[in-house]
């Protein structure tokens, strides 16, 4: 990535500060409970915590034993128990059970709950209801943001998506606002804030409120612009198969908190290896944004270069070899190790992805995006379901079909749904209810009211005009307008031209040139226009909720200041690695640097899994 | 100018001066005679109760409250019991201590605030004397009762009564007593004839002041200084003993040669006092007795003798209030002495002189200036002028001093103007509040001690809102602490105006307050609600920008619906939840659900909570809403938690009913199928121990096939109308898995395959059975032939098919699979491609 950056590209702010802040606060909180104590950690906080403070740091602060929260009776012998958890009712209830069990056994212990990033009233209500409110002390660890990489910051809140977009529970929105506030205090002030979506707007308002309440110090801005976007503005992108290296690794091996575990098929030994994937890994840094088809070539070139570097040794005298060994060899060895891992990973992916099935899957996805040969696509999906290829993938394709086609025809909807239920069980009725509620998989409604209107109107005007009117009406009734948007924003490049994936022309390269991600396109357009002017039609199709606000910082230095070309894009409800790659590409083209803040890194599988409701 | 020292009197090495503060605006018929008077320090208000002991109900005594300048603030007839003592608290509230031990608290405007009592037993014994005192803990009250016992309350806002131990031999009230605050303890010092006692919480100790000879007689009057550091004792032989209040050092002993007990005795000192003194007042004499032994007697012509006066001890002097005027008696500050002493050669005095000459356009100005400059004292001179100006009460003197300072400043290059500017500003403020109409005769020293914040508070408390705002703006106090605070108080006061309509007040408040930072409308509204104006409160809340702030008050006012919608608006889910849980307890269930129904956000929040905490409530919630769809889903969810089949089935049946009510026939049908499937599975499990229960249809069929139960599979296939394609795929995979190739071949021939035959080829190849795969190649449709041939790696066959179909892409695909050894084939294909291209 670094090699192709524009020379005037601005420097990214240093986000390791966020980690330091979080660590210091955690240590402070641990010290509030002096003496030896056992620490129970929410399972999904384990990896994020590891990035902030390792075990030895915790031990230094008198943490005796570490446990994972497992919702089972505990075996600890310590007199002090500290719980580091997300503010979830279920976990709090478990803690209540632990405390009440101790009480029943006549055992006295101190309990301290540290909620992160904040506590909710409902949690305290549960403590009260279960009668242990007086027995525990609670605290908040304001660990809002985890920097995963130089340009990726995550809130590590995967439930944000389901809670907001499915259950309508908006409690995390304020958290997002607070996270933004934290960034603003440390790296602001922001000069301009754009956004689209209901929750973006709410998060923005929550942030605004916090700014007004607190004091603002005038300081040099390190981040100029901010773009907030709701995940439901663009459901299409996260539903597509990823073909950029980093995204593909995520799809296949699942990157967890910036770290991936490669199995034995990759390491070609009998050990599994955990690897951090970020810009520190020089090999990865160069291929992460590449289309998969280029990666192999790149890696083999790299291997050749490496060989040449090793080969330098020949014909060296003693002195030169000494320098070589002390200075270069270690770096080369490291590179060697990484290179072999990535080659292994690529091979393993290649095996899976070059198969006939995958090619056909991609073909279907592209047809859906283009709106071509929909019948064939439906047949493909049906077969996909019938052959039990994958529970998640089938749903993903169904959703993609529904969104691109503005819902399924009642006949198709029923038959596909019935087939799916036969394949994977009737409990998925609930999954379908969820998908329907979130608008991901819906049945086209035979608009009754519209037909009445049409027939009335039809009588008044001649047939031709009535036809046009019908179109107008039916477009009014639809919720998702993917086709219209695609046309308006030119999301699907013309397929007759050859797309050279080696030299990407636009952001579409991340989907083999078949589709420009809507979310990223919106960012591009809004930055270009410095607002939503000229995009009225688009925002109408996206159900509005767009906003553009000029921030507090003065305008005079705007043109010169490097910070104005640092753009923070915040995804409420998660974003995919492909989107990040697309934004990095956009940044290189336009001389921006993007920082992606997301509630969680998602991909199509995680995305669908959060909406599942089978009670297996 | 030359008269400045006219009212100065020497006392030891220092001077004392008496400055007139006001001609009193009041018009008292009977002067201050027969009245209880209380005047608060720091230029506080004066309370007056005429003839407090008159008890006839026909003519009640009048309680009057005036500003320090005598402007009438409030007056009302005293209807409660006889008052022993009046006093002011630090926050300008009036304490009226009654004979029966109850203490009534009034605000500055004479409206009753609250009351407390100094103990039940006092009702019997009666209060003989009481004192109000101030300490770092607030305002306290001390009483001595008819049974000669003392009771103390150190802070009336945090009332803790302390009954002090008995004083040996004391009958009735002591001859005199004071309250001392020392070492974070409050004590009483009292004298009974010649004895002196200190009473603290636990003991009563007889003490003897150092150097105090018993011959000097009985102590009849005592006074403690403003800071509680010094004590003065007056004996019936006319001796005045002064010393530290710890009774460890003696300052002096003066023989005043006056034997009657003085009416008042007050310390007069200032911070860094040169010559502290005690001011004594008899009916016809005011005596200032310096610690050095000197005295000043203010003769009768300077002092209205006919009339009793009141002495008010201040931080830096004593105010003397008579019925006609008010004066400030104080030690002249050192800097003023240096400035104005006759023939003073202090640099400041010279500078003042220089400026005077300069104004007369005299060259002497230069001479004076040179003189100062030669000693390089010009900076000091300017500082002296500025400082002295601060201590002067008369604006014209202030002006001349400041002008001189400004003049001197011109000749200095590196002189920070801060002190000058600050003093100018502060003097302007002080002159403003000293105005007769406002009546706060603060000295600069008092002002500094009191701080600007408190001054603004006092102004606000006296409802001088415009002046307070003016001052805040003039002194450029940040809005947050200044103007906004004043506006907040103004608005809180405004909402109490009973004669205005809700609308008028709301409008007036909104216009004035606008969106000043730091003014909380909810706070104002709370005030309005306290005064019983709920409608006004609601109107005001509308202007509150932060909806979160509105909620608690709305709840308090029982506007729960509104509170809920405001909470939702705020976007703070914790707040929403607070309201929801409040409503849950307040309302009956039906109303509660109805309320939630109108608030989707709150509803989803509550649902989420119920899902985890109260499943049953969730059901009720759906029931109430007639949300059959959700109800059905609820039953389905519940069925999966159920272990026993029959209860599971009954839950599913309920789900079906609800789906039907929701007109969701599809889901109803699916659920019915599920029930059928469950029963079927159960039956087979019982018969064959197949372990099917809970599997999906597909999985069931797979399981059946792998057990070789073809008949049952077929039954499911028919009963559940499984699509042919699925069935064929299923069977194909299953047979291939078990490598029952013959069975497979039979099956392939049973009828025309709905999934084509390429699938057969692929599946066989997956099992690495090329031989079987080839059997099906011929059956594949022409379109898929090439693929089929390729799948079994039959390049020749593929080529034949492709050439026959003249399909360029397919031929390309085959070419890409060819290796170098297939020379012939490649040539053939290339030729065919060329031929096809020609056409």
């Amino acid at each position: 990535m670094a090699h192709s950056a524009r020379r005037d590209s601005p420097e990214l702010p240093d986000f390791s500060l966020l980690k330091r802040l979080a660590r210091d606060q955690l240590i402070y909180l641990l010290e509030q409970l002096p003496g030896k104590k056992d620490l129970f950690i929410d399972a999904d906080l384990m990896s994020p915590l590891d990035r902030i403070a390792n075990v030895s740091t915790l031990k230094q602060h008198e943490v005796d034993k570490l446990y994972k929260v497992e919702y089972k009776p505990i075996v600890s012998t310590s007199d002090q128990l500290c719980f580091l958890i997300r503010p979830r009712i279920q976990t709090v209830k478990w803690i209540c059970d632990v405390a009440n069990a101790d009480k029943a056994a006549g055992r006295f212990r101190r309990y301290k709950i540290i909620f992160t990033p904040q506590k909710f009233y409902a949690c305290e209500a549960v403590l009260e209801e279960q009668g242990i409110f007086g027995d525990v002390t609670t605290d908040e660890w304001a660990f809002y943001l985890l920097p995963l990489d130089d340009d990726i910051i995550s809130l590590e809140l995967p439930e944000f998506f389901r809670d907001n977009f499915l259950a309508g529970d908006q409690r995390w929105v304020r958290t997002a606002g607070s996270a933004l506030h934290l960034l603003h205090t440390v790296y602001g002030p922001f000069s301009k804030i754009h956004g689209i979506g209901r929750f973006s707007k709410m998060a923005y308002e929550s942030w605004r409120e916090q700014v007004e309440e607190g004091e603002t110090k005038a300081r040099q801005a390190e981040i100029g612009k901010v773009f907030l976007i709701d995940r439901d503005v663009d459901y299409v992108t996260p539903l597509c198969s990823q073909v950029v290296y980093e995204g593909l690794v995520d799809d296949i091996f699942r990157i967890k908190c910036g770290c991936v575990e490669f199995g034995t098929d990759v390491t070609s030994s009998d050990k599994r290896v955990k690897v951090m994937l970020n810009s520190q890994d020089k090999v990865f840094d160069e291929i992460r944004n590449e289309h998969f088809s280029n990666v192999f070539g790149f890696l083999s070139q790299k291997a050749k270069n490496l060989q040449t570097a090793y080969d330098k040794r020949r014909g060296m005298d003693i002195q030169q070899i000494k320098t070589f060994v002390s200075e270069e060899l270690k770096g080369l060895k490291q590179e060697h190790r990484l290179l072999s891992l990535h080659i292994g990973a690529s091979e393993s992916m290649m095996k899976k992805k070059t198969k006939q099935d995958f090619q056909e899957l991609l073909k279907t996805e592209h047809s859906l995006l283009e709106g071509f040969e929909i019948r064939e696509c439906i047949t493909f999906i049906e077969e996909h379901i019938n052959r039990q290829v994958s529970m998640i993938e089938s749903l993903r394709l169904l959703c993609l079909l529904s969104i691109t086609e503005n819902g399924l025809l009642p006949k198709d909807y029923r038959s596909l749904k019935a087939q799916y239920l036969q394949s994977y069980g009737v409990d998925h009725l609930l999954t379908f209810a969820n998908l329907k509620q979130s608008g991901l998989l819906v049945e086209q409604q035979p608009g009754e009211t519209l037909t009445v209107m049409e027939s009335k109107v039809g009588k008044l005007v001649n047939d031709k005009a009535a036809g046009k009117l019908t179109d107008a009406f039916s477009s009014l009734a639809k919720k998702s307008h993917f086709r219209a948007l695609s046309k308006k924003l030119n999301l699907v490049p013309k397929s007759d031209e050859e797309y050279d994936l080696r030299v990407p022309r636009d952001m579409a390269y991340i989907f083999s040139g078949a589709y420009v991600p809507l979310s990223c396109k919106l960012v591009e357009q809004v930055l270009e226009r410095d607002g939503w002017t000229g995009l009225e039609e688009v925002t109408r199709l996206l159900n509005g909720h767009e906003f553009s606000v000029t921030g507090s910082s003065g305008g005079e230095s705007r043109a010169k200041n490097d910070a104005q070309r640092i753009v923070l894009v915040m995804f409420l409800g998660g974003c995919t690695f492909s989107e990040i790659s697309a934004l990095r590409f956009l940044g290189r083209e336009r001389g921006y640097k993007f920082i992606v803040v997301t509630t969680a890194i998602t991909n199509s599988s995680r995305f669908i899994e959060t909406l599942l409701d089978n009670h297996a | 100018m030359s008269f400045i020292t006219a009212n100065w009197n020497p006392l030891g090495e220092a001077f004392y001066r008496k400055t007139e503060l006001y001609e009193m605006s009041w018009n008292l018929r009977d002067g201050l005679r027969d009245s209880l008077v209380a005047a608060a320090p720091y230029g506080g208000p004066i309370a007056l109760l005429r003839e407090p002991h008159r008890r006839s109900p026909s003519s009640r005594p009048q309680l009057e409250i005036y500003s320090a300048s005598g402007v009438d603030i409030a007056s009302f007839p005293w209807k409660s019991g006889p008052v022993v003592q009046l006093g002011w608290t630090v926050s300008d509230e009036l304490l009226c201590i009654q004979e029966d031990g109850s203490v009534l608290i009034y605000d500055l405007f004479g409206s009753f605030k609250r009351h407390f009592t100094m103990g039940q037993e006092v009702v019997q014994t009666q209060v003989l004397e009481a004192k109000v005192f101030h300490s770092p803990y607030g305002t306290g009250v001390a009483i001595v009762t008819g049974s000669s016992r003392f009771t103390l309350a150190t802070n009336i806002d945090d009332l803790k009564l302390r009954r002090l131990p008995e004083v040996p031999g004391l009958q009735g009230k002591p001859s005199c007593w004071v309250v001392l605050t020392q070492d974070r303890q409050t004590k009483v010092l009292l004298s009974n004839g010649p004895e002196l006692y200190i009473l603290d919480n636990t003991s009563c100790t007889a003490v003897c002041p150092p150097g105090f000879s018993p011959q000097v007689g009985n102590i009849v009057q005592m006074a403690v200084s403003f800071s509680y550091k010094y004590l003065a004792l007056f004996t019936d032989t006319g001796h005045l003993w002064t010393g530290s209040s710890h009774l460890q050092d003696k300052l002096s002993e003066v023989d005043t040669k006056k034997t009657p007990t003085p009416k008042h005795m007050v310390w007069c000192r200032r911070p860094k006092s040169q010559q502290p003194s005690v001011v004594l007042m008899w009916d016809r004499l005011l005596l200032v007795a310096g610690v050095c032994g000197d005295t000043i007697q203010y003769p009768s012509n300077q002092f209205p003798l006919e009339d009793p006066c009141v002495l008010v001890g201040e931080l830096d002097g004593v105010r003397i209030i008579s019925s006609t005027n008010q004066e400030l008696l104080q030690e002249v500050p050192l800097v003023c002495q240096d400035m104005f002493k006759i023939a003073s050669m202090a640099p400041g005095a010279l500078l003042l002189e220089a400026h005077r000459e300069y104004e007369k356009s005299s060259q002497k100005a230069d001479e004076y200036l040179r003189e100062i400059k030669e000693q390089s004292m010009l900076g000091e001179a300017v500082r002296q002028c500025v400082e002295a100006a601060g201590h002067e009460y008369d604006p014209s003197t202030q002006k001349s001093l400041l002008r001189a300072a400004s003049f001197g400043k011109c000749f200095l290059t590196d002189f920070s103007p801060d002190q000058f500017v600050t003093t100018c500003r502060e003097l302007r403020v002080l002159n403003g509040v000293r105005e007769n109409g406002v009546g706060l005769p603060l000295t600069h020293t008092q002002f500094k001690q009191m701080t600007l914040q408190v001054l603004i508070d006092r102004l606000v408390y006296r409802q001088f809102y415009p002046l307070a705002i003016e001052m805040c703006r003039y002194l450029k106090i940040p809005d947050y602490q200044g103007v906004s605070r004043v506006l907040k108080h103004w608005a809180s006061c405004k909402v109490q105006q009973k004669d205005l309509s809700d609308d008028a007040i709301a409008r007036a408040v909104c216009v004035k307050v606008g969106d000043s930072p730091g003014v909380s409308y909810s706070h104002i509204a709370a005030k309005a609600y306290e005064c019983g104006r709920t409608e006004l409160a609601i109107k005001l809340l509308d202007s509150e920008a932060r909806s979160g702030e509105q909620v608690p008050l709305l709840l308090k006012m029982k506007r729960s619906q509104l509170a809920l919608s405001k909470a939702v608006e705020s976007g703070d889910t914790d707040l929403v939840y607070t309201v929801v849980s409040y409503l849950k307890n307040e309302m009956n269930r039906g109303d509660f659900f109805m309320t939630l129904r109108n608030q989707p956000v709150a509803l989803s929040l509550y649902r989420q909570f119920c899902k985890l905490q109260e499943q049953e409530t969730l059901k009720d919630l759906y029931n109430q809403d007639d949300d059959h769809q959700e109800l059905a889903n609820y039953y389905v969810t519940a069925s999966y938690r159920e272990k026993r089949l029959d209860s599971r089935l009954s839950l599913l049946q309920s789900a079906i009913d609800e789906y039907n009510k929701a007109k969701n026939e599809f889901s109803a049908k699916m659920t019915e199928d599920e029930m059928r499937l469950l029963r079927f599975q159960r039956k087979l499990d019982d018969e064959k121990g197949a372990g099917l229960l809970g599997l999906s249809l597909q999985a069931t069929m797979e399981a059946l096939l792998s057990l070789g139960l073809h008949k049952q599979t077929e039954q499911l296939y028919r009963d559940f109308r499984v699509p042919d394609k699925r069935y064929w795929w299923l069977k194909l995979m299953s047979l291939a898995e078990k490598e029952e190739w013959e069975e497979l071949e039979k099956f392939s021939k049973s009828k025309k395959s709905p999934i084509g035959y390429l699938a057969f080829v692929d599946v066989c190849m997956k099992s690495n059975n090329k031989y079987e795969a080839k059997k099906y190649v011929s059956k594949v449709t022409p379109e898929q032939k090439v693929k089929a041939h390729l799948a079994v790696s039959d390049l020749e066959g593929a080529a034949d098919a492709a050439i026959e179909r003249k399909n360029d892409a397919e031929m390309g695909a085959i070419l890409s699979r060819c290796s170098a050894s297939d020379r012939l084939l490649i040539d053939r294909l290339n030729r065919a491609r060329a031929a096809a291209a020609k056409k």
Side-chain angles (χ1 to χ4, degrees), chain B residues 27 60 75 142 266 432 479 504 619 664 678 682 722 771 779:
Chain B
N27 190 10
R60 293 205 158 97
S75 111
V266 179
D479 273 359
K619 197 169 89 185
N664 189 341
L678 282 171
R682 180 51 167 277
V722 175
Y771 172 75
K779 291 186 150 190

Side-chain angles (χ1 to χ4, degrees), chain A residues 89 93 120-121 129 163 167-171 383 386-388 417 419 422-423 425-427 430 433 615, chain B residues 572-574 577 581 601 604-605 608-609 612-613 633 637 640 666 670 674 696-698 720 723 726 729:
Chain A
I89 289 174
K93 250 170 105 174
F120 287 130
Y121 181 80
E129 246 169 56
D163 282 350
D169 174 350
Q170 303 168 351
R171 67 202 156 124
E383 194 183 311
N386 279 335
R387 292 174 57 191
Q388 310 264 100
K417 194 163 148 187
Q419 306 245 25
Q422 286 186 351
S423 278
V426 180
D427 40 350
L430 303 174
H615 296 259
Chain B
D572 181 347
T573 45
D574 269 6
Y577 196 78
S581 50
V601 175
S604 0
L605 201 69
Q608 282 282 89
F609 181 75
L612 293 159
Q613 275 290 64
N633 287 346
T637 316
Y640 284 98
F666 177 77
M670 286 332 262
E674 171 71 1
S696 71
L697 179 61
Q698 170 90 11
F720 288 89
R726 170 186 296 275
W729 269 113

Side-chain angles (χ1 to χ4, degrees), chain B residues 189 289 349 365 369 414 570 613-614 648 664 720 747 787 791 801 811:
Chain B
L189 183 71
L369 263 179
D414 271 349
S570 78
Q613 275 290 64
E614 302 171 14
R648 197 160 168 182
N664 189 341
F720 288 89
F747 175 60
K787 267 191 198 162
M811 287 189 258

Side-chain angles (χ1 to χ4, degrees), chain A residues 366-367 369-372 490-499 505 512-515:
Chain A
H366 293 171
S367 306
L369 290 167
E370 269 177 81
F372 240 57
N490 202 13
L491 296 180
V492 178
K494 290 194 187 70
S495 55
D496 46 357
E497 289 167 44
E498 200 56 43
Y499 199 99
R505 172 164 83 226
S512 315
Y515 163 62

